[in-house]
PDB file of all heavy atoms in Angstrom:
ATOM      1  N   PHE A  32      66.318 -23.375  93.931  1.00 76.00           N
ATOM      2  CA  PHE A  32      66.144 -21.931  93.723  1.00 76.00           C
ATOM      3  C   PHE A  32      64.716 -21.509  94.024  1.00 76.00           C
ATOM      4  O   PHE A  32      64.477 -20.480  94.672  1.00 76.00           O
ATOM      5  CB  PHE A  32      66.512 -21.576  92.280  1.00 76.00           C
ATOM      6  CG  PHE A  32      66.253 -20.143  91.938  1.00 76.00           C
ATOM      7  CD1 PHE A  32      67.133 -19.147  92.336  1.00 76.00           C
ATOM      8  CD2 PHE A  32      65.118 -19.779  91.218  1.00 76.00           C
ATOM      9  CE1 PHE A  32      66.884 -17.823  92.024  1.00 76.00           C
ATOM     10  CE2 PHE A  32      64.872 -18.453  90.908  1.00 76.00           C
ATOM     11  CZ  PHE A  32      65.754 -17.471  91.300  1.00 76.00           C
ATOM     12  N   CYS A  33      63.751 -22.317  93.573  1.00 77.00           N
ATOM     13  CA  CYS A  33      62.344 -22.006  93.816  1.00 77.00           C
ATOM     14  C   CYS A  33      62.014 -22.056  95.309  1.00 77.00           C
ATOM     15  O   CYS A  33      61.290 -21.203  95.826  1.00 77.00           O
ATOM     16  CB  CYS A  33      61.447 -22.969  93.047  1.00 77.00           C
ATOM     17  SG  CYS A  33      61.496 -22.746  91.244  1.00 77.00           S
ATOM     18  N   LEU A  34      62.578 -23.055  96.008  1.00 76.00           N
ATOM     19  CA  LEU A  34      62.327 -23.172  97.438  1.00 76.00           C
ATOM     20  C   LEU A  34      62.908 -21.987  98.199  1.00 76.00           C
ATOM     21  O   LEU A  34      62.255 -21.409  99.083  1.00 76.00           O
ATOM     22  CB  LEU A  34      62.913 -24.489  97.970  1.00 76.00           C
ATOM     23  CG  LEU A  34      62.214 -25.776  97.519  1.00 76.00           C
ATOM     24  CD1 LEU A  34      62.978 -27.001  98.008  1.00 76.00           C
ATOM     25  CD2 LEU A  34      60.770 -25.805  98.031  1.00 76.00           C
ATOM     26  N   VAL A  35      64.152 -21.625  97.861  1.00 77.00           N
ATOM     27  CA  VAL A  35      64.780 -20.470  98.517  1.00 77.00           C
ATOM     28  C   VAL A  35      64.011 -19.191  98.216  1.00 77.00           C
ATOM     29  O   VAL A  35      63.768 -18.358  99.102  1.00 77.00           O
ATOM     30  CB  VAL A  35      66.256 -20.341  98.081  1.00 77.00           C
ATOM     31  CG1 VAL A  35      66.855 -19.045  98.619  1.00 77.00           C
ATOM     32  CG2 VAL A  35      67.060 -21.540  98.563  1.00 77.00           C
ATOM     33  N   SER A  36      63.610 -19.021  96.954  1.00 74.00           N
ATOM     34  CA  SER A  36      62.851 -17.826  96.566  1.00 74.00           C
ATOM     35  C   SER A  36      61.513 -17.785  97.281  1.00 74.00           C
ATOM     36  O   SER A  36      61.068 -16.719  97.743  1.00 74.00           O
ATOM     37  CB  SER A  36      62.640 -17.807  95.051  1.00 74.00           C
ATOM     38  OG  SER A  36      63.886 -17.770  94.372  1.00 74.00           O
ATOM     39  N   ALA A  37      60.851 -18.962  97.365  1.00 72.00           N
ATOM     40  CA  ALA A  37      59.556 -19.018  98.037  1.00 72.00           C
ATOM     41  C   ALA A  37      59.696 -18.661  99.512  1.00 72.00           C
ATOM     42  O   ALA A  37      58.878 -17.913 100.071  1.00 72.00           O
ATOM     43  CB  ALA A  37      58.947 -20.410  97.885  1.00 72.00           C
ATOM     44  N   LYS A  38      60.756 -19.182 100.149  1.00 77.00           N
ATOM     45  CA  LYS A  38      60.998 -18.879 101.560  1.00 77.00           C
ATOM     46  C   LYS A  38      61.235 -17.384 101.757  1.00 77.00           C
ATOM     47  O   LYS A  38      60.723 -16.768 102.698  1.00 77.00           O
ATOM     48  CB  LYS A  38      62.187 -19.683 102.075  1.00 77.00           C
ATOM     49  CG  LYS A  38      62.475 -19.441 103.542  1.00 77.00           C
ATOM     50  CD  LYS A  38      63.664 -20.265 104.017  1.00 77.00           C
ATOM     51  CE  LYS A  38      63.942 -19.976 105.495  1.00 77.00           C
ATOM     52  NZ  LYS A  38      65.119 -20.747 105.978  1.00 77.00           N
ATOM     53  N   THR A  39      62.024 -16.806 100.840  1.00 79.00           N
ATOM     54  CA  THR A  39      62.304 -15.366 100.927  1.00 79.00           C
ATOM     55  C   THR A  39      61.029 -14.551 100.747  1.00 79.00           C
ATOM     56  O   THR A  39      60.781 -13.585 101.478  1.00 79.00           O
ATOM     57  CB  THR A  39      63.344 -14.967  99.868  1.00 79.00           C
ATOM     58  OG1 THR A  39      64.539 -15.720 100.066  1.00 79.00           O
ATOM     59  CG2 THR A  39      63.668 -13.489  99.953  1.00 79.00           C
ATOM     60  N   LEU A  40      60.224 -14.950  99.756  1.00 77.00           N
ATOM     61  CA  LEU A  40      58.970 -14.236  99.511  1.00 77.00           C
ATOM     62  C   LEU A  40      58.019 -14.348 100.689  1.00 77.00           C
ATOM     63  O   LEU A  40      57.358 -13.376 101.066  1.00 77.00           O
ATOM     64  CB  LEU A  40      58.313 -14.779  98.233  1.00 77.00           C
ATOM     65  CG  LEU A  40      59.029 -14.460  96.920  1.00 77.00           C
ATOM     66  CD1 LEU A  40      58.344 -15.168  95.755  1.00 77.00           C
ATOM     67  CD2 LEU A  40      59.052 -12.950  96.676  1.00 77.00           C
ATOM     68  N   VAL A  41      57.960 -15.543 101.289  1.00 76.00           N
ATOM     69  CA  VAL A  41      57.095 -15.743 102.457  1.00 76.00           C
ATOM     70  C   VAL A  41      57.569 -14.873 103.625  1.00 76.00           C
ATOM     71  O   VAL A  41      56.769 -14.237 104.319  1.00 76.00           O
ATOM     72  CB  VAL A  41      57.057 -17.228 102.866  1.00 76.00           C
ATOM     73  CG1 VAL A  41      56.363 -17.393 104.215  1.00 76.00           C
ATOM     74  CG2 VAL A  41      56.330 -18.045 101.806  1.00 76.00           C
ATOM     75  N   SER A  42      58.894 -14.828 103.830  1.00 78.00           N
ATOM     76  CA  SER A  42      59.442 -14.007 104.910  1.00 78.00           C
ATOM     77  C   SER A  42      59.155 -12.527 104.669  1.00 78.00           C
ATOM     78  O   SER A  42      58.778 -11.791 105.591  1.00 78.00           O
ATOM     79  CB  SER A  42      60.953 -14.239 105.035  1.00 78.00           C
ATOM     80  OG  SER A  42      61.236 -15.583 105.355  1.00 78.00           O
ATOM     81  N   GLN A  43      59.337 -12.091 103.407  1.00 79.00           N
ATOM     82  CA  GLN A  43      59.060 -10.700 103.083  1.00 79.00           C
ATOM     83  C   GLN A  43      57.576 -10.369 103.256  1.00 79.00           C
ATOM     84  O   GLN A  43      57.215  -9.288 103.751  1.00 79.00           O
ATOM     85  CB  GLN A  43      59.507 -10.393 101.657  1.00 79.00           C
ATOM     86  CG  GLN A  43      61.016 -10.366 101.484  1.00 79.00           C
ATOM     87  CD  GLN A  43      61.422 -10.048 100.059  1.00 79.00           C
ATOM     88  OE1 GLN A  43      60.592 -10.055  99.146  1.00 79.00           O
ATOM     89  NE2 GLN A  43      62.709  -9.775  99.852  1.00 79.00           N
ATOM     90  N   ALA A  44      56.724 -11.309 102.861  1.00 77.00           N
ATOM     91  CA  ALA A  44      55.286 -11.089 103.010  1.00 77.00           C
ATOM     92  C   ALA A  44      54.907 -10.985 104.486  1.00 77.00           C
ATOM     93  O   ALA A  44      54.107 -10.117 104.879  1.00 77.00           O
ATOM     94  CB  ALA A  44      54.509 -12.219 102.338  1.00 77.00           C
ATOM     95  N   ALA A  45      55.490 -11.867 105.313  1.00 78.00           N
ATOM     96  CA  ALA A  45      55.209 -11.812 106.749  1.00 78.00           C
ATOM     97  C   ALA A  45      55.705 -10.503 107.353  1.00 78.00           C
ATOM     98  O   ALA A  45      55.027  -9.881 108.186  1.00 78.00           O
ATOM     99  CB  ALA A  45      55.861 -13.002 107.454  1.00 78.00           C
ATOM    100  N   TYR A  46      56.885 -10.056 106.912  1.00 76.00           N
ATOM    101  CA  TYR A  46      57.436  -8.784 107.403  1.00 76.00           C
ATOM    102  C   TYR A  46      56.544  -7.616 107.002  1.00 76.00           C
ATOM    103  O   TYR A  46      56.264  -6.729 107.812  1.00 76.00           O
ATOM    104  CB  TYR A  46      58.846  -8.596 106.863  1.00 76.00           C
ATOM    105  CG  TYR A  46      59.413  -7.217 107.119  1.00 76.00           C
ATOM    106  CD1 TYR A  46      59.883  -6.857 108.371  1.00 76.00           C
ATOM    107  CD2 TYR A  46      59.448  -6.262 106.104  1.00 76.00           C
ATOM    108  CE1 TYR A  46      60.379  -5.589 108.611  1.00 76.00           C
ATOM    109  CE2 TYR A  46      59.939  -4.993 106.328  1.00 76.00           C
ATOM    110  CZ  TYR A  46      60.405  -4.662 107.587  1.00 76.00           C
ATOM    111  OH  TYR A  46      60.896  -3.408 107.815  1.00 76.00           O
ATOM    112  N   GLN A  47      56.094  -7.637 105.737  1.00 78.00           N
ATOM    113  CA  GLN A  47      55.217  -6.567 105.264  1.00 78.00           C
ATOM    114  C   GLN A  47      53.905  -6.551 106.035  1.00 78.00           C
ATOM    115  O   GLN A  47      53.362  -5.473 106.345  1.00 78.00           O
ATOM    116  CB  GLN A  47      54.954  -6.731 103.760  1.00 78.00           C
ATOM    117  CG  GLN A  47      56.170  -6.515 102.876  1.00 78.00           C
ATOM    118  CD  GLN A  47      56.697  -5.093 102.961  1.00 78.00           C
ATOM    119  OE1 GLN A  47      55.942  -4.157 103.208  1.00 78.00           O
ATOM    120  NE2 GLN A  47      57.998  -4.929 102.736  1.00 78.00           N
ATOM    121  N   ASN A  48      53.398  -7.738 106.394  1.00 81.00           N
ATOM    122  CA  ASN A  48      52.164  -7.808 107.180  1.00 81.00           C
ATOM    123  C   ASN A  48      52.377  -7.220 108.575  1.00 81.00           C
ATOM    124  O   ASN A  48      51.529  -6.487 109.086  1.00 81.00           O
ATOM    125  CB  ASN A  48      51.680  -9.256 107.294  1.00 81.00           C
ATOM    126  CG  ASN A  48      51.085  -9.766 105.994  1.00 81.00           C
ATOM    127  OD1 ASN A  48      50.581  -8.979 105.184  1.00 81.00           O
ATOM    128  ND2 ASN A  48      51.123 -11.068 105.774  1.00 81.00           N
TER     129      ASN A  48
END
Side-chain angles (χ1 to χ4, degrees):
F32 175 79
C33 291
L34 291 175
V35 173
S36 299
K38 181 180 179 181
T39 302
L40 291 175
V41 170
S42 298
Q43 289 180 348
Y46 170 77
Q47 293 296 331
N48 286 333

